[in-house]
């Protein structure tokens, strides 16, 4: 491995042969003996990377969490992000902003002035247990707490990788989980009518475009998760059986359509008349309607609509409808569906539509076709769902 010294600079390089060429590795005076991949075969790029990386390196006893995380999640300035990209892990701009927001809003105000080595697992765990929304001052849901924990974990693991601390203090913290008693706020019937008014022009005015109106109408009237709606293709819709086969989801990290749902099992949902009517109108105004084409495709994007994009649009639409959104997200449409469907359907029918099955072993050995999935919708369910949304 030929070496290239840094001419008085606080770092030096060596190269390692790979299939992609000779990758430059750097070592720094502040971290003697530790070689780190720059991820590039170009010397000038390696110099720029090393210069940015060196700025973040100071002795552990002099570095606070705020100093170390100053550039975290910022494209072009974050070494961790660069390595993740080199390994094929990509993040959307909105996802990076959300994780950076967790740092700025929750983590740094509490731990930013502490030295990296002074942050303990107990401190983090106790803080997260009582964590409240910065905006609404209400206890954060389990999923939101876990996202804050993930953002902090990325930072602390990077500190371990750089040799600044010996152990990640987030390691061993148990993920938060909502209990059955956790209150899940649903939309009232009046609120649903404001979000989905009978007149099409009024609905489009709320959601801004026909596509977004159709997207959320399908989500709300079928009880689907945002990742499931985003992954729908035209071939998954059976017009004759008034149903959708739910077999894929949108991966939150890559925005790519991947096989499988959150539970890992496929399901089918009944599509009420109003949802079918607006889907037909959307189809008539869409260029790509082949069976494998996504039903809902965001502008200037390669993948489907992400949960982050849906949440942002949902917030603005709730405000246009005159609703107090508080901390409700598109996922609350799913809870609303479950709540109101139980008033008309028996529990087994709702479990079928929601995908809440209990016979896990049978599901693992069950591989029905899309048509078979839709044919399994119990008799009479379509009429009941259509009545609910008619």
């Amino acid at each position: 491995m030929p070496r290239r010294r840094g001419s008085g600079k606080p770092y030096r390089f060596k190269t390692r042969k790979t299939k992609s060429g000779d990758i430059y590795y750097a070592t720094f005076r502040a971290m003697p003996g530790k070689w780190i991949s720059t991820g590039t075969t170009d010397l000038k790029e390696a110099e720029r990377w090393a210069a940015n990386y060196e700025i973040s390196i100071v002795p552990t006893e002099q570095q606070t969490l705020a100093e170390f995380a100053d550039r975290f999640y910022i494209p072009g300035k974050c070494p961790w992000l660069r390595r993740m990209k080199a390994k094929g892990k990509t993040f959307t701009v909105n996802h990076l902003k959300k994780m950076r927001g967790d740092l700025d809003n929750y983590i740094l105000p509490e731990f930013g002035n502490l030295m990296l080595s002074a942050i303990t697992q107990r401190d983090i765990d106790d803080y997260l247990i009582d964590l409240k929304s910065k905006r609404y001052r209400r206890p954060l849901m389990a999923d939101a707490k876990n996202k804050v924990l993930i953002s902090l974990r990325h930072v602390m693991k990077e500190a371990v990788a750089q040799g600044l601390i010996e152990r990640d203090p987030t390691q061993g913290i148990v993920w938060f989980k909502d209990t059955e008693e956790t209150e899940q706020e649903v939309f009232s019937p009046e609120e649903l009518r404001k979000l989905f008014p009978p007149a099409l022009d009024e609905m489009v005015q709320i959601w801004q475009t026909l596509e977004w109106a159709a997207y959320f109408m399908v989500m709300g009237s079928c009880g689907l998760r945002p990742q499931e709606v985003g992954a729908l293709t035209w071939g998954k819709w059976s017009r004759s059986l008034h149903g959708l086969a739910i077999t894929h989801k949108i991966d939150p990290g890559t925005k790519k359509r991947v096989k499988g749902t959150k539970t890992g099992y496929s399901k089918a949902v009944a599509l009420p008349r109003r949802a079918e009517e607006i889907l037909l109108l959307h189809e008539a105004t869409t260029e790509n309607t082949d069976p494998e084409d996504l039903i809902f495709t965001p502008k200037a994007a390669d993948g489907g609509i992400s949960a982050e994009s849906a949440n942002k649009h949902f917030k603005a639409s709730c405000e246009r409808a005159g609703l107090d959104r508080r901390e409700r997200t598109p996922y609350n449409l799913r809870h609303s569906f479950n709540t109101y469907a139980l008033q008309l359907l028996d529990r087994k029918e709702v479990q079928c539509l929601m995908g809440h099955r209990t016979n896990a072993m049978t599901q693992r050995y069950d591989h029905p076709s899309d048509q078979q999935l839709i044919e399994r919708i119990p008799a009479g369910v379509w009429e009941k769902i259509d009545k609910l949304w008619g």
Side-chain angles (χ1 to χ4, degrees):
M1 299 181 189
R3 300 191 177 219
R4 190 183 293 266
R5 296 192 174 274
S7 303
K9 297 177 181 178
Y11 52 81
R12 57 193 178 93
F13 298 113
K14 70 179 180 182
T15 57
R16 177 176 295 172
K17 291 185 178 297
T18 68
K19 292 181 179 180
S20 301
D22 292 344
I23 299 292
Y24 281 94
Y25 281 70
T27 187
F28 300 83
R29 289 176 185 170
M31 302 166 56
K34 186 176 182 66
W35 291 90
I36 305 172
S37 173
T38 67
T40 181
T41 60
D42 183 86
L43 178 57
K44 289 185 178 180
E45 288 187 11
E47 290 275 2
R48 285 194 291 270
W49 180 91
N52 285 329
Y53 194 92
E54 192 274 333
I55 293 175
S56 67
I57 302 175
V58 298
T60 306
E61 62 272 17
Q62 298 179 17
Q63 193 161 20
T64 65
L65 176 64
E67 291 169 339
F68 179 72
D70 180 53
R71 301 185 176 191
F72 224 87
Y73 297 128
I74 300 177
K77 297 182 179 180
C78 177
W80 174 84
L81 200 56
R82 181 186 180 91
R83 285 204 309 281
M84 292 301 102
K85 184 177 180 180
K87 295 177 181 180
K89 180 67 173 178
T90 59
F91 300 90
T92 65
V93 173
N94 285 337
H95 194 185
L96 291 175
K97 287 182 178 179
K98 178 63 174 63
M99 291 190 291
R100 183 67 214 186
D102 286 339
L103 286 181
D104 293 333
N105 294 327
Y106 296 107
I107 297 171
L108 296 182
E110 180 71 14
F111 302 105
N113 293 329
L114 296 180
M115 300 300 171
L116 288 169
S117 58
I119 301 173
T120 67
Q121 177 179 326
R122 179 65 179 272
D123 290 337
I124 298 170
D125 210 13
D126 288 345
Y127 173 64
L128 291 174
I129 288 173
D130 298 322
L131 190 59
K132 295 182 179 181
S133 165
K134 181 177 177 65
R135 181 175 182 181
Y136 301 104
R137 306 310 304 164
R138 295 168 55 185
L140 283 182
M141 301 295 292
D143 183 59
K145 291 181 179 179
N146 288 335
K147 289 178 179 178
V148 173
L149 177 57
I150 289 172
S151 297
L152 178 56
R153 180 163 291 176
H154 290 160
V155 176
M156 302 312 292
K157 283 184 175 295
E158 177 65 12
V160 172
Q162 293 188 20
L164 300 178
I165 55 176
E166 294 183 359
R167 182 181 178 276
D168 169 18
T170 68
Q171 186 178 352
I173 295 180
V174 178
W175 297 110
F176 290 87
K177 184 178 181 180
D178 287 323
T179 63
E180 293 182 0
E181 291 77 22
T182 300
E183 181 181 355
Q184 297 287 355
E185 190 172 6
V186 301
F187 289 99
S188 68
E190 293 75 18
E191 289 177 321
L192 289 175
R193 280 191 287 272
K194 288 182 179 180
L195 286 172
F196 304 102
L200 179 62
D201 59 339
E202 294 180 12
M203 192 190 306
V204 172
Q205 185 176 359
I206 294 294
W207 299 103
Q208 295 295 282
T209 68
L210 181 64
E211 181 175 19
W212 276 116
Y215 174 91
F216 283 104
M217 184 67 189
V218 169
M219 182 186 299
S221 64
C222 297
L224 295 177
R225 301 178 179 91
Q227 296 91 337
E228 295 168 346
V229 182
L232 285 173
T233 58
W234 293 106
K236 298 298 181 181
W237 176 18
S238 173
R239 294 159 176 78
S240 61
L241 296 174
H242 311 293
L244 295 166
I246 311 302
T247 61
H248 289 69
K249 65 180 179 181
I250 296 295
D251 179 75
T254 63
K255 290 185 65 177
K256 294 181 179 179
R257 182 174 182 268
V258 296
K259 190 172 181 61
T261 62
K262 182 179 180 180
T263 60
Y265 307 120
S266 299
K267 61 180 180 180
V269 295
L271 197 61
R273 183 179 290 108
R274 282 190 69 193
E276 282 202 309
E277 288 174 352
I278 196 169
L279 265 185
L280 285 169
L281 292 173
H282 170 52
E283 182 182 31
T285 60
T286 302
E287 294 182 2
N288 302 317
T289 57
D290 290 338
E292 296 302 317
D293 288 331
L294 290 172
I295 294 179
F296 306 109
T297 307
K299 295 180 179 179
D302 296 328
I305 294 176
S306 68
E308 291 83 0
S309 297
N311 188 45
K312 183 177 180 180
H313 197 88
F314 182 78
K315 176 181 178 180
S317 297
C318 283
E319 292 175 352
R320 282 189 290 269
L323 300 186
D324 179 11
R325 177 181 174 271
R326 295 185 289 278
E327 290 188 320
R328 287 183 290 185
T329 69
Y331 209 90
N332 290 98
L333 289 174
R334 176 173 166 83
H335 289 286
S336 300
F337 173 88
N338 188 93
T339 300
Y340 297 125
L342 282 171
Q343 298 176 7
L344 296 175
L345 313 176
D346 64 43
R347 189 165 295 275
K348 287 186 177 180
E349 291 174 331
V350 176
Q351 287 178 346
C352 172
L353 297 173
M354 295 289 287
H356 291 165
R357 301 181 182 181
T358 57
N359 194 347
M361 189 58 68
T362 301
Q363 290 177 330
R364 289 181 182 276
Y365 287 87
D366 189 21
H367 305 284
S369 66
D370 295 342
Q371 189 77 1
Q372 290 171 330
L373 275 174
I374 298 175
E375 289 174 348
R376 290 181 181 181
I377 298 175
V381 167
W382 181 84
E383 289 80 3
K384 294 176 182 178
I385 293 296
D386 189 59
K387 179 181 179 182
L388 177 63
W389 286 89

